[in-house]
Amino acid sequence: MDRTVKALSLLLSYPTEELQTAMPEISGVIASETRLTAAARRDLRPLIDELTGRDIYDLQEQFVMLFDRSRTLSLNLFEHVHGESRDRGGAMVNLLETYRAGGFEPSTSELPDHLPVLLEFLASRSPTEIHDTLSETAHILEAIRSRLVRRGSNYQAVFSAILQLSSGDVDNDAVAQLLEQPEVDPNDLKALDEVWEESEVTFGPDPGAGCPQVRDMLSKIDQSKRSTAAE
């Protein structure tokens, strides 16, 4: 079990009292992780302190306003793929099959492409698979990180840490395309409804078609799945 990847998964999970109870252990894991720079570990401290001591209801409200009411900050990775809504359902099915082939059954109502779910799965995989998968999603992670920095959110440090673990080059053009999507005021319910209606998910036969980054990610995960089955 990669305890650091698991810890980062928990830091991005919906805040609960159970999470607050676990924060001292999570803090210890982060503090001892040599794959992260001292600066990255230090930058995570404000979020850890916030999750440890802040009122749970305030934490939950903040989480919803950031990640649940903004498509551009969605933790569902396939939400960020332009023009691929017709294929997202199929991509999700493939990802779920990959989880199950690896002996992982998500114990949550979240979608398979939810970042904390993906990280929880990767925590049980090899370092190579962790690196390769995170590298393929680096452009999405960087776009979310950049938006969180603009909002002054301590959650940005988690994305910086994940990007360090990926050790991959970020496709700046892909990041720029994602950042072109307009921000929507999370308090503007009408505008939010319009955005989510436009991104309605439908099922299609070719998951990730037209998006090289997501297609490569699914391909590499599928290759790992076949290797595991062969063993």
Side-chain angles (χ1 to χ4, degrees):
M1 170 68 71
D2 190 313
R3 299 182 69 211
T4 298
V5 175
K6 176 65 175 180
L8 294 173
S9 170
L10 291 172
L11 288 177
L12 286 178
S13 300
Y14 181 73
T16 63
E17 293 179 350
E18 289 77 14
L19 177 62
Q20 287 188 312
T21 301
M23 287 311 300
E25 182 178 358
I26 293 172
S27 177
V29 170
I30 295 297
S32 62
E33 179 50 76
T34 58
R35 288 175 296 176
L36 299 177
T37 63
R41 296 194 299 271
R42 183 174 61 249
D43 289 347
L44 282 164
R45 174 52 57 185
L47 177 62
I48 290 172
D49 290 344
E50 188 177 359
L51 291 173
T52 299
R54 191 174 170 188
D55 179 78
I56 188 62
Y57 297 109
D58 288 343
L59 290 171
Q60 290 172 346
E61 181 181 13
Q62 171 186 256
F63 187 92
V64 169
M65 293 293 285
L66 277 175
F67 300 118
D68 292 346
R69 295 181 67 175
S70 173
R71 182 170 181 254
T72 55
L73 291 176
S74 175
L75 295 178
N76 295 327
L77 296 179
F78 294 152
E79 279 290 345
H80 301 274
V81 181
H82 289 286
E84 298 301 317
S85 60
R86 290 184 60 81
D87 300 306
R88 184 179 168 211
M92 225 101 68
V93 170
N94 282 356
L95 193 54
L96 185 58
E97 289 176 351
T98 297
Y99 290 164
R100 289 171 175 165
F104 174 69
E105 187 69 38
S107 57
T108 176
S109 60
E110 299 291 354
L111 294 171
D113 65 335
H114 194 62
L115 180 55
V117 176
L118 177 62
L119 290 173
E120 185 178 359
F121 167 70
L122 290 177
S124 65
R125 311 307 293 172
S126 69
T128 298
E129 188 171 348
I130 293 171
H131 171 275
D132 290 348
T133 302
L134 293 180
S135 293
E136 292 301 327
T137 63
H139 62 299
I140 300 174
L141 302 176
E142 173 58 26
I144 298 175
R145 188 200 68 81
S146 297
R147 291 185 184 277
L148 289 171
V149 169
R150 291 177 188 174
R151 298 195 185 199
S153 171
N154 290 329
Y155 277 103
Q156 61 85 18
V158 185
F159 288 85
S160 294
I162 297 172
L163 286 165
Q164 280 197 15
L165 293 181
S166 76
S167 301
D169 293 331
V170 176
D171 185 335
N172 292 324
D173 288 338
V175 173
Q177 287 183 354
L178 291 174
L179 292 177
E180 287 176 358
Q181 297 182 47
E183 293 273 16
V184 177
D185 183 352
N187 293 306
D188 188 340
L189 299 182
K190 181 179 179 180
L192 287 170
D193 286 342
E194 291 175 353
V195 168
W196 288 111
E197 285 174 3
E198 291 173 0
S199 60
E200 179 183 3
V201 176
T202 57
F203 287 79
D206 186 15
C211 179
Q213 294 89 351
V214 172
R215 187 168 60 242
D216 289 346
M217 180 185 76
L218 291 173
S219 175
K220 289 186 178 182
I221 291 177
D222 188 54
Q223 289 174 8
S224 176
K225 178 175 67 175
R226 290 198 297 269
S227 298
T228 300
E231 295 173 359

